[in-house]
Amino acid sequence: MDAAKVARARQDEVDYIHKTNVYTKVPRNKAKALGAKVITVRWIDINKGDTENPNYRSRLVARELNRSKRLDLFAATPPLEALKIVLSMLTSDNKGENLMINDVSRAFFCAPARMQVFVELPEEDHDGEDMIGELNYSMYGTRDAAQNWGEECADTMEAIGFIQGKAPPCTFYHKEKEIRTYIHADDFVSIASDENLQWFKKAN
């Protein structure tokens, strides 16, 4: 991989972290005083294009290892049947509905942190002091990130009029707009009329 392009992609990620206030820099002594662990981080660098049309992306990922069972951490994922039902409704009883698939970029960074978590700062964001990051928003690689994202999605969907499913809870229905959708990680799959799908896209 081209080192210069990787460096630019990493700087773009650091700039985004600053812009969205993913973490606040705090002295390491704050974590020590609380007896809290400071999670290490690493870069995931990828060229999503090719050699002729490069598209470098870098993501800063925490390395919180799964060393114990945490029954309080749960993130629902839709079963394959959810997709089958949506597609069946779209094709067998279509009344003008269309399918819309949306991908949320840097999804976990949109979910507020619900626990106090500290991470090491990447070399690209060090300023010479013994500082660490206290998360304001979830970071990829932390054990509660997926749960936080799921809860943030549910809160947002209910705020704009959706009813959350019970089995599974990552399915939603908007009665007034007749929108059916399910969420798998950072992907939204929805069916409705074009007008209502565009409403939903703007509402989020």
Side-chain angles (χ1 to χ4, degrees):
M1 296 183 73
D2 186 291
K5 289 184 174 65
V6 169
R8 283 197 294 271
R10 290 185 179 186
Q11 188 57 52
D12 286 344
E13 180 80 342
V14 170
D15 291 344
Y16 184 85
I17 287 171
H18 289 172
K19 178 181 177 182
T20 55
N21 195 32
V22 171
Y23 53 66
T24 299
K25 292 182 182 181
V26 298
R28 187 176 298 274
N29 286 338
K30 180 174 182 178
K32 287 183 178 180
L34 295 169
K37 178 177 65 174
V38 181
I39 302 169
T40 60
V41 297
R42 63 165 296 180
W43 285 105
I44 303 296
D45 305 306
I46 186 172
N47 179 7
K48 302 192 79 171
D50 53 36
T51 54
E52 293 185 4
N53 300 287
N55 181 17
Y56 280 68
R57 301 281 182 88
S58 292
R59 292 290 179 264
L60 185 65
V61 177
R63 298 194 291 185
E64 185 175 13
L65 302 179
N66 183 357
R67 290 177 172 163
S68 61
K69 285 189 177 182
R70 289 287 306 274
L71 299 180
D72 58 316
L73 298 180
F74 172 76
T77 56
L80 180 59
E81 285 73 17
L83 175 60
K84 289 181 178 179
I85 290 171
V86 167
L87 294 179
S88 176
M89 295 176 71
L90 182 69
T91 57
S92 63
D93 190 28
N94 191 293
K95 298 176 182 178
E97 297 93 346
N98 286 310
L99 178 72
M100 180 176 71
I101 300 174
N102 302 99
D103 174 74
V104 180
S105 178
R106 297 182 173 102
F108 289 177
F109 285 173
C110 300
R114 297 171 189 259
M115 295 190 297
Q116 193 172 37
V117 178
F118 299 95
V119 297
E120 297 286 357
L121 298 176
E123 182 179 342
E124 291 79 1
D125 200 22
H126 271 300
D127 47 20
E129 299 181 18
D130 193 16
M131 306 289 280
I132 56 176
E134 182 176 358
L135 293 185
N136 301 310
Y137 292 89
S138 301
M139 180 177 282
Y140 289 89
T142 54
R143 292 185 64 185
D144 65 341
Q147 181 186 61
N148 293 347
W149 167 244
E151 292 178 0
E152 180 67 12
C153 281
D155 291 345
T156 300
M157 297 289 277
E158 290 178 347
I160 59 176
F162 279 86
I163 300 170
Q164 185 177 19
K166 294 183 179 180
C170 43
T171 57
F172 297 86
Y173 175 61
H174 197 294
K175 185 176 182 180
E176 179 186 351
K177 300 289 185 179
E178 295 187 331
I179 305 172
R180 293 173 172 83
T181 188
Y182 76 85
I183 303 172
H184 188 186
D186 56 3
D187 294 319
F188 288 65
V189 178
S190 311
I191 60 169
S193 67
D194 279 341
E195 179 182 357
N196 289 336
L197 288 175
Q198 291 308 309
W199 170 87
F200 180 36
K201 188 175 181 179
K202 293 177 181 178
N204 275 325

